[in-house]
Amino acid sequence: PCLTWQVNEEDRTVVDFERTSCDDPHRFEVSARQDLGAYPSSEFGPDAPQPDLTRQAQLREELCETSTMRYLDGRFDPTGRYSIASILPPPQAWAAGDRTLLCGVQSTDEQGNVLESVGPIADNDQARVADPGQCLRVDDSNSIAVVDCAEDHQIEVTSVEDLAPVFPEGAPSEEDQDAHLQPVCTQAAIDYLGEEENLYRSTLQPFWMVITPGSWNGGSHSTNCGL
């Protein structure tokens, strides 16, 4: 099952929390249910407060990672657009004795806002890609973030390329990806800038990102071309 909700723009609180079909827009795909009541009653007893953020992160690691990987049959790209997450009961339900922890997967943006997805993760490309026209900044740890193009950035995205139809036999080598993407991304740059002369007159170079075998086997099959 999948869950969705809306966010109140004024105070960022969650409203309209409901169960929905995974084929419809949703924010969370449930992979497992865990009963915190099975833990020592001293921690999660009838009068216990909800776990703080640090303890929630520990519970997610202890209870959700293995069960979610099992749910996904190991097909998960930890560097992709989905992350393993957990949901506690709302405060009123917790106070009434509900100790159900939901494990699952969700997609978030750079600010941590949970995004909508359509379709179960098993059917989706897990690659984290940007849209044409967006700009990317790479920090010292090689982490990539979408930024306003008026800010300092290294890459301006020209296209999104799905490599799954190109390499149906499995994870392609870096050399095979380069051989395919070099002409594809050069043409994407020309189309993006309007004509070939604009590319050659600019100081920009066509650029692309190859997909590692681990990410490919985890379910990420798309990449960006850029400048």
Side-chain angles (χ1 to χ4, degrees):
C2 287
L3 306 172
T4 194
W5 57 84
Q6 301 303 317
V7 178
N8 187 309
E9 292 298 332
E10 294 183 0
D11 57 10
R12 307 306 297 172
T13 56
V14 171
V15 295
D16 300 330
F17 191 91
E18 62 181 356
R19 178 171 174 168
T20 188
S21 168
C22 293
D23 293 327
D24 294 328
H26 60 272
R27 299 183 189 272
F28 190 89
E29 182 174 346
V30 179
S31 60
R33 292 173 176 265
Q34 304 288 355
D35 180 13
L36 297 182
Y39 271 62
S41 59
S42 59
E43 183 174 8
F44 301 120
D47 299 323
Q50 280 193 317
D52 60 20
L53 293 177
T54 298
R55 185 63 176 128
Q56 288 181 45
Q58 293 171 342
L59 290 169
R60 182 172 63 248
E61 182 176 343
E62 294 169 10
L63 300 178
C64 292
E65 291 194 0
T66 299
S67 59
T68 300
M69 291 299 290
R70 187 182 307 117
Y71 169 80
L72 297 173
D73 291 328
R75 188 174 178 273
F76 178 69
D77 179 7
T79 65
R81 67 189 181 103
Y82 293 101
S83 58
I84 296 175
S86 61
I87 296 177
L88 284 169
Q92 301 91 331
W94 181 276
D98 186 354
R99 297 295 184 265
T100 303
L101 176 78
L102 296 178
C103 299
V105 289
Q106 63 186 22
S107 177
T108 58
D109 62 17
E110 284 81 10
Q111 288 72 45
N113 300 309
V114 182
L115 306 175
E116 286 188 330
S117 296
V118 177
I121 184 175
D123 297 340
N124 288 346
D125 191 330
Q126 295 184 31
R128 185 181 290 275
V129 292
D131 296 326
Q134 290 186 312
C135 292
L136 308 177
R137 181 169 60 209
V138 184
D139 63 20
D140 293 338
S141 63
N142 286 326
S143 177
I144 299 175
V146 176
V147 298
D148 189 301
C149 290
E151 299 179 22
D152 289 343
H153 59 273
Q154 288 90 354
I155 304 163
E156 185 167 348
V157 176
T158 57
S159 70
V160 177
E161 302 296 332
D162 181 4
L163 300 185
V166 183
F167 301 104
E169 300 302 319
S173 67
E174 182 174 327
E175 292 76 16
D176 286 343
Q177 291 182 67
D178 284 340
H180 171 74
L181 289 170
Q182 194 277 331
V184 168
C185 292
T186 299
Q187 187 60 52
I190 293 170
D191 295 341
Y192 186 79
L193 294 174
E195 58 181 74
E196 188 172 0
E197 186 66 20
N198 291 342
L199 174 61
Y200 291 127
R201 287 189 174 186
S202 75
T203 60
L204 305 173
Q205 295 291 327
F207 177 83
W208 56 92
M209 291 177 269
V210 298
I211 304 169
T212 66
S215 289
W216 183 281
N217 294 330
S220 291
H221 300 142
S222 293
T223 190
N224 280 132
C225 291
L227 288 162

